[in-house]
Amino acid sequence: MIVITTPTGQIGGRLLDLLLDGPHAFTEELRVVVRDPARLPEAVRARVDVVAGSHDDPEVVDRAFTGAHAVFWVVPPTPQAPSLDAVYSGFTRAAAEALTAHGVRHVVGVSALGRGTPVAHRAGHVTASLAMDDLLAGTGAAYRALANPSFMDNLLEQTASIRDRGVYTSTVAADRPAPLAATRDIAAAAADLLLDRSWTGTGEVPVLGPEDLSANDMARIMSEVLGRPVRYERQSLDDFRASLPGYGFSPALVEGYVDMMRAKDDGLDAGVERTPRSASPTTFRQWCEEVLKPTVPA
């Protein structure tokens, strides 16, 4: 029995598809925890055990983890949370207790790069995510944190600007190379870990993409794939901070995002060397061809 949280999310949804219809389909029973079961297609609901509710609820995780051998853990967005601890460790505490109570043996969590770097203690959301990893690692289950850089898929939030103005923005230096991963590769790494549970202890599994790219490199590749000029426009941290309340974020989350982006510009994602094992396969060019281009009409 594998339990999947956030089965309608970017990563959880892709993972669920892999476990239902991939090469290892039907080798494991699947259970999902979802606030609104109606968001799952009817055909999916017919093939999985559904536990309705939020996975920060002690009663929900108690039901969900009964008989579970492995759990895929993701904290959902909580824009109005009063603190970063509430977003990550606070949300996870009931699940950590349930993991111990039910003797769940393996847990895979979605987390971030940065552990061991000089800026890890002042990286906002990443610092809080690493504290959540420590909480899960203390449950007695074998734990693997998928240590991720920024997602390629986050660019989909800027398709209107790319389409209408030929501009995408971030706060990092234009010429700083950094790893970048596709969410489908993160889901594939999770599937591998959940299906082959020979691993023990606690640790991280970096998902780094095949190459480091700067913001200017990304603009060049997007221009080539889309057949139109795309340029990178660096946003100041002050302007970035001022834009975030419009998305409904609480003051604590706003400062967490600002601290995270400042830390990324100071090398937060540069602490892990890419190896054949950590170099996930999807190139940024491939992602642009297959995912971005269909959203930006010629």
Side-chain angles (χ1 to χ4, degrees), residues 211 220-221 224-225 283-290:
E211 58 187 340
R220 172 181 53 80
I221 292 169
E224 293 169 358
V225 170
T283 67
F284 184 63
R285 182 178 296 276
Q286 179 186 359
W287 181 86
C288 287
E289 290 277 6
E290 297 175 359

Side-chain angles (χ1 to χ4, degrees), residues 169-186:
T169 64
S170 184
T171 64
V172 297
D175 59 353
R176 172 184 287 280
L180 196 66
T183 54
R184 63 190 184 191
D185 290 346
I186 299 167

Side-chain angles (χ1 to χ4, degrees), residues 91-180:
F91 191 94
T92 304
R93 286 191 179 97
E97 294 177 4
L99 290 169
T100 300
H102 290 285
V104 178
R105 294 188 177 184
H106 291 85
V107 180
V108 176
V110 172
S111 188
L113 291 171
R115 187 178 293 276
T117 65
V119 294
H121 67 289
R122 54 178 176 86
H125 285 267
V126 171
T127 304
S129 184
L130 298 179
M132 177 194 71
D133 292 336
D134 293 338
L135 175 63
L136 290 168
T139 63
Y143 180 63
R144 289 294 181 274
L146 295 171
N148 301 304
S150 298
F151 300 164
M152 297 176 190
D153 304 71
N154 289 345
L155 277 172
L156 295 174
E157 299 170 5
Q158 301 196 49
T159 53
S161 178
I162 293 168
R163 181 191 64 230
D164 299 337
R165 301 173 53 230
V167 170
Y168 87 99
T169 64
S170 184
T171 64
V172 297
D175 59 353
R176 172 184 287 280
L180 196 66

Side-chain angles (χ1 to χ4, degrees), residues 22-58:
H24 299 286
F26 306 111
T27 62
E28 304 271 354
E29 291 183 63
L30 300 178
R31 177 179 291 156
V32 301
V33 185
V34 61
R35 287 174 174 168
D36 180 6
R39 293 186 61 196
L40 291 168
E42 185 176 351
V44 171
R45 295 199 303 270
R47 299 173 64 189
V48 300
D49 183 26
V50 177
V51 175
S54 174
H55 50 291
D56 69 336
D57 184 325

